[in-house]
Amino acid sequence: MAALVRVSGPPNSNFLVGYPGISATLPRIEGRVEIRPAVGVSAPVAISLVTVCLQRRESINPAAESMIRSQLTSARRDITDIVGKEMLLFRCPPGRESESVLGMDLPFVIFIPYGRGGEEIARRVPPASLQLDKRTAETFYELLVTVQQGHSDQRKYPFPVPIQRYDTLSTFGMYNRPESAERVTDHLVTLGISLPRWSYGPLDPVSVYIKLSPNPDWLGKAKKVTITSITVGIDEELIYNHEGDEAKRTTKNLAKHTQPVGVKMPEAGYFTNLGLVFPARELRDSEGVLPRSRPGFPMYSTSGFTTTGTLYKLEYYLTVKAKLSSARDILLRQPIVVCPFDHAGCKEEMAAIEHAAKDAAHLSPDNPMLPAATILRANDPAGLKALGVCNVGGVRKVLIE
């Protein structure tokens, strides 16, 4: 007899509890595996073993960006691994092939790793769910329930679970400290930049303080240099196989703003403030309708964000280019962090994160105090009653209390 298997989360909430990437919230997946007969109500099902695990599937296809190459080669590479540990929820007693059951509710909690344990990959925080355009790279999570029915019949039931990461929120103090960098060309001119903060989300303003200063030892030559224009841009760099031998990089410019200057280099240097708005993706279609999100992938209003998987890595750079005459141009690339939420959204999450951390303080990962499993065996005296059925003269009828 086939089994009907489903997974339900805690009442009025998602499977995912806590905030992945923030260890104080003990991020975890809570729920219960429910097993019922696939046909009828009271026909017993033979169950030998039930396990559950959180599985991550990651795949890349560098050739997908080129239409011709993608038709000629199937260069898609993928990996599958288990996040955390697989949990054994039920095993029938030794010496028996299976247990005959009318229904099962098996609670579980899977803790998502939250510490970057150095070389220990099993402790790394798993990357967020993401699907890039043309599926050039994607990360996908699913709860995988394995049900063994007797010797031969083992079936796997996947349930997609979208996972987001919260350790890049632009409201965290570490991203709100000024970052500065310098670059020199021809020993004549120094380009210096300062960023007031370095984590950005969709439609966040990006502001850069720029300083071009002449070399005091070569002042005569430096003053002949003309500052033609200054360009500020944001680049997205996707690195395929970043841990392997054949790493491949593709760079895409997301936004650019050029300011014409046309000034000879002043003795005191040239100072300016330039800015642009971090680009956001329009989620609604031409009629203003929000499309249904695909199971397993959250709706992000950015095309990508800072993330590191096993097969690929997404990095972002703020680029400042000073175009000069009588000297070589200067290009400075400063790494920045891109968060999938805007600054206002990050502020809203902060209170919820604090609340989740207070809740998690009472929880022990070694003993999460799960509710007891409910198993209705076929020979339980009250088994039929629990299903709302009773025996009347050898005929099963709906029980009316």
Side-chain angles (χ1 to χ4, degrees), residues 51-116:
T51 65
V52 66
C53 67
L54 179 64
Q55 186 171 273
R56 172 171 66 110
R57 296 215 312 260
E58 202 174 275
S59 67
I60 54 169
N61 187 2
E65 287 175 349
S66 146
M67 282 303 290
I68 301 160
R69 281 184 61 197
S70 65
Q71 285 165 7
L72 295 174
T73 65
S74 56
R76 183 164 285 280
R77 270 194 62 197
D78 48 29
I79 58 152
T80 302
D81 62 5
I82 289 175
V83 179
K85 290 177 183 164
E86 185 171 26
M87 277 189 75
L88 174 67
L89 300 181
F90 173 80
R91 177 185 274 148
C92 70
R96 294 177 66 172
E97 187 186 314
S98 61
E99 190 83 65
S100 204
V101 297
L102 298 168
M104 284 181 152
D105 286 350
L106 308 170
F108 67 89
V109 60
I110 296 173
F111 286 93
I112 295 171
Y114 50 80
R116 299 179 192 280

Side-chain angles (χ1 to χ4, degrees), residues 339-355:
C339 170
F341 320 106
D342 62 6
H343 198 64
C346 291
K347 273 186 180 161
E348 284 171 16
E349 292 289 3
M350 293 304 272
I353 288 171
E354 275 180 41
H355 188 74

Side-chain angles (χ1 to χ4, degrees), residues 21 30 59 69-70 80 94 101 109 133 140 142 149 153 155 174 180 184-185 279 289 313 316 329 351 379 383 395:
E30 287 183 12
S59 67
R69 281 184 61 197
S70 65
T80 302
V101 297
V109 60
D133 292 338
F140 174 76
E142 56 193 1
Q149 292 188 259
D153 194 11
R155 293 188 191 183
M174 60 185 174
S180 51
V184 183
T185 181
V289 177
K313 191 176 184 177
Y316 292 83
D329 298 346
N379 54 4
V395 179

Side-chain angles (χ1 to χ4, degrees), residues 3-58:
L4 174 74
V5 178
R6 65 183 178 200
V7 175
S8 61
N12 303 320
S13 78
N14 197 349
F15 295 125
L16 187 60
V17 183
Y19 289 80
I22 298 172
S23 56
T25 64
L26 283 184
R28 58 203 179 274
I29 290 191
E30 287 183 12
R32 65 172 193 258
V33 173
E34 298 174 356
I35 298 176
R36 302 286 185 271
V39 182
V41 177
S42 57
V45 181
I47 304 287
S48 308
L49 181 87
V50 183
T51 65
V52 66
C53 67
L54 179 64
Q55 186 171 273
R56 172 171 66 110
R57 296 215 312 260
E58 202 174 275

